[in-house]
Amino acid sequence: MDEKGLPLDLAPVDTRVRKHAYRSTRLIIACIIVQVVILIYRLTGTPKSITRLYNSYTGQPDFSHLAEHCAHISPVSTSSFLQRQQALAQSLHELNASAYIAEPGASAAYFANLSQSQWHLSERPLLLIISPDVDSSEQVHARVSILTPSFEATRAKLLSIPSQDEVTYPSWPEDVSPFEVAVSAVPQLKEGTIFVDGMMRSFVLDGLQKAATESNVLTAPVEIRRLRERKSAEELEIMKCVNEATLLAIRAVRENVKIGMRESEARQLMSTALSAAGLSDGSCLTLFGENAALPHGSGTDRVLGAHDFVLVDCDAELHGYRSDITRTYALPESTIHATYLRMWSLVHSAQANALAAARNGTVTAEVDAAARNTLAAQGYAQYLTHRLGHGIGLETHESPYLRGGSEDVILTGHTFSDEPGIYIEGQVGIRLEDCFYVHENGTAIFLTEGAGGAAKGPWDP
Ligand SMILES: *[C@@H]1O[C@H](CO)[C@@H](O)[C@H](O)[C@H]1NC(C)=O
Ligand SMILES: *[C@@H]1O[C@H](CO)[C@@H](O)[C@H](O)[C@H]1NC(C)=O
Ligand SMILES: *[C@@H]1O[C@H](CO)[C@@H](O)[C@H](O)[C@H]1NC(C)=O
Ligand SMILES: *[C@@H]1O[C@H](CO)[C@@H](O)[C@H](O)[C@H]1NC(C)=O
């Protein structure tokens, strides 16, 4: 009701107001039509210009430019899988082993395109079995079998398992031991040494040992592990791209982070940007100020203050290969405490010194020490509470590791994260992370080099 006691909608209206209302109704209808058209385009595969228009219209940040970065990168080819199987067979033969067995996972994905996204692990074993076959002219060939539950055999045969010869599918009915079926179907399992993937579950390992009474079932040694640890040129191209694209996404999101924003909002922006870059399974820790002092986060949803660093630690995937990048940065309008800026520079030096220490032939512990000694020189060693880094590839964390006490040797093709940090609880957390590979010539190079490499400064991530 208005002052005169008339219901509001009957009250006389100033014509100016009415005209205005008419104009805004037209505008709203036009906007709805545009929205619907854009929505249809989005649902049916949107041209980039439309996405850009839509984003600028809705005020959402536009990350569509990131899509181009890895568009030219192909997944691993069939011939590379055959080479991997051949190298495995050769290695098994040299080690006098009769077979290699893995459950679906990173190793089975490496040797036979069988990841857990293709086949989920359950209590019913499905196993990749590769054995070396030596022909009359002493040539070694890889023989590939997939042990499958009988009732799943049809689905198992739909898997895309590359192989030189036909893949065999021994199948086990529910009332028979899968491992006994494996041993009677693959004669090589009857005696000698069987190497299994280090991630195999213990009931599978125990079952195999019990069924293969004359064999010795052992975790695959370093010679086998290194086949996957040391990346080929083809793998390095994928890994460079996924790491570069992740870094470009972090930088693009920084342009849209504002003081007053919540950690969860920044995390959502990162997620959008990683998807826009064509990467799958992307996720980020986004930690503000002292929340970053707990390396894996605090569980609160803090608001970004004017004196806070932003720590973003992201990983994502391209054709099965993972990225892992951390940046600790300030916004253009932030004012950061001088002590924290000095700590940032110290972490930055630790990262550079570790990279310089990593070369072909170096023991991994020495690389960890190079970063730690840099911090120790300024009295900050106790604030680097975790190892320096981890191997990376088909898994975000894989062997070998850059840590004190490790005697693993770094070789060409190895890939590691280099991620020193300073964590002072209740105050500040700073971490800088880029992954590197060891070039053919023995030197370590950041996988992010093609996108500018390591951060240049707190305002230049
Ligand atoms: C690997 O498996 C994926 C998913 O099934 C498939 O798209 C791809 O073509 C396979 N790769 C090869 C080389 O067979
Ligand atoms: C290789 O393994 C077989 C069992 O499969 C064994 O009889 C033979 O002695 C082994 N050879 C060597 C050189 O270890
Ligand atoms: C790398 O180091 C290994 C082990 O020290 C050595 O055998 C190999 O020749 C080295 N390769 C290069 C390219 O320096
Ligand atoms: C190794 O190769 C990289 C990349 O081409 C180059 O930047 C570096 O200087 C080389 N190092 C040596 C020791 O040859």
Side-chain angles (χ1 to χ4, degrees):
M1 302 287 260
D2 73 357
E3 283 166 4
K4 291 178 197 154
L6 289 170
L8 268 180
D9 56 347
L10 297 179
V13 183
D14 181 333
T15 48
R16 247 182 9 228
V17 174
R18 206 183 292 144
K19 230 194 245 155
H20 178 76
Y22 175 61
R23 236 187 283 131
S24 34
T25 310
R26 257 196 335 184
L27 194 68
I28 288 167
I29 291 170
C31 288
I32 290 171
I33 292 169
V34 169
Q35 284 261 25
V36 167
V37 169
I38 288 171
L39 197 68
I40 290 167
Y41 267 101
R42 280 171 75 82
L43 292 175
T44 55
T46 327
K48 256 180 239 130
S49 51
I50 303 278
T51 311
R52 223 164 272 149
L53 186 71
Y54 177 84
N55 287 340
S56 66
Y57 175 77
T58 56
Q60 282 174 18
D62 176 35
F63 299 124
S64 57
H65 64 284
L66 297 171
E68 286 141 34
H69 194 73
C70 296
H72 64 292
I73 302 285
S74 313
V76 173
S77 65
T78 301
S79 66
S80 304
F81 280 108
L82 301 186
Q83 280 170 26
R84 293 171 181 186
Q85 292 170 4
Q86 180 61 30
L88 174 61
Q90 197 67 46
S91 208
L92 290 169
H93 181 62
E94 282 159 18
L95 295 164
N96 194 29
S98 53
Y100 173 82
I101 306 183
E103 294 196 88
S107 294
Y110 177 79
F111 289 115
N113 198 27
L114 178 54
S115 70
Q116 278 175 31
S117 55
Q118 259 97 49
W119 195 279
H120 289 283
L121 290 185
S122 79
E123 75 285 8
R124 296 187 173 97
L126 176 122
L127 300 177
L128 167 71
I129 305 172
I130 296 183
S131 48
D133 232 16
V134 186
D135 68 15
S136 49
S137 54
E138 285 296 298
Q139 291 291 309
V140 181
H141 300 277
R143 188 166 289 285
V144 179
S145 307
I146 301 287
L147 176 78
T148 170
S150 297
F151 80 104
E152 299 265 49
T154 306
R155 188 162 74 92
K157 287 173 190 170
L158 292 174
L159 290 166
S160 188
I161 309 284
S163 169
Q164 190 74 59
D165 305 315
E166 219 174 301
V167 177
T168 57
Y169 294 87
S171 65
W172 56 274
E174 300 259 278
D175 51 359
V176 173
S177 154
F179 312 108
E180 277 164 20
V181 170
V183 172
S184 53
V186 184
Q188 285 93 332
L189 301 183
K190 289 203 173 62
E191 56 173 10
T193 302
I194 299 170
F195 287 136
V196 300
D197 178 41
M199 299 301 269
M200 179 177 276
R201 293 172 297 173
S202 57
F203 82 91
V204 178
L205 195 138
D206 291 347
L208 281 168
Q209 184 60 83
K210 214 167 148 205
T213 45
E214 304 295 308
S215 306
N216 210 1
V217 182
L218 300 174
T219 303
V222 68
E223 291 88 338
I224 304 279
R225 290 204 308 273
R226 273 191 188 144
L227 295 174
R228 194 187 121 201
E229 285 175 5
R230 298 177 71 184
K231 274 68 180 179
S232 67
E234 180 188 36
E235 292 178 287
L236 289 175
E237 283 314 300
I238 303 174
M239 290 190 66
K240 283 177 194 173
C241 211
V242 66
N243 279 277
E244 289 165 7
T246 304
L247 178 52
L248 294 177
I250 290 174
R251 292 193 193 131
V253 165
R254 177 173 175 266
E255 306 289 315
N256 295 280
V257 171
K258 307 265 179 308
I259 288 167
M261 193 176 254
R262 288 198 173 273
E263 289 173 342
S264 57
E265 293 174 275
R267 192 158 60 242
Q268 185 53 50
L269 284 176
M270 275 311 319
S271 188
T272 308
L274 291 170
S275 303
L279 309 183
S280 51
D281 200 22
S283 77
C284 303
L285 285 168
T286 50
L287 305 171
F288 298 163
E290 78 281 353
N291 274 5
L294 301 181
H296 286 157
S298 70
T300 72
D301 193 10
R302 196 182 183 291
V303 166
L304 183 64
H307 309 298
D308 294 334
F309 271 137
V310 174
L311 184 151
V312 191
D313 182 349
C314 297
D315 60 77
E317 186 174 310
L318 177 67
H319 304 318
Y321 288 85
R322 310 287 312 179
S323 62
D324 201 357
I325 310 264
T326 307
R327 286 291 179 271
T328 303
Y329 61 71
L331 296 182
E333 60 272 33
S334 312
T335 50
I336 308 289
H337 199 292
T339 311
Y340 295 171
L341 293 178
R342 275 200 299 280
M343 290 180 193
W344 191 99
S345 298
L346 191 57
V347 172
H348 187 249
S349 303
Q351 194 197 28
N353 292 343
L355 183 75
R359 13 183 57 262
N360 180 59
T362 314
V363 171
T364 53
E366 289 174 27
V367 182
D368 179 275
R372 224 165 281 281
N373 293 342
T374 308
L375 300 186
Q378 305 291 323
Y380 280 96
Q382 80 261 35
Y383 300 114
L384 173 52
T385 46
H386 55 70
R387 66 178 179 224
L388 177 68
H390 50 81
I392 179 166
L394 290 168
E395 291 174 290
T396 312
H397 293 187
E398 61 179 43
S399 65
Y401 295 90
L402 299 178
R403 58 173 190 87
S406 162
E407 287 174 5
D408 291 328
V409 175
I410 296 177
L411 295 172
T412 56
H414 265 144
T415 43
F416 295 97
S417 72
D418 173 2
E419 47 177 315
I422 290 179
Y423 310 96
I424 306 181
E425 286 187 20
Q427 290 184 42
V428 70
I430 296 164
R431 176 163 71 254
L432 295 172
E433 173 182 26
D434 293 83
C435 296
F436 66 83
Y437 69 103
V438 183
H439 189 274
E440 298 268 287
N441 69 17
T443 56
I445 300 173
F446 281 138
L447 288 163
T448 46
E449 207 53 57
K456 306 281 182 291
W459 280 274
D460 188 4

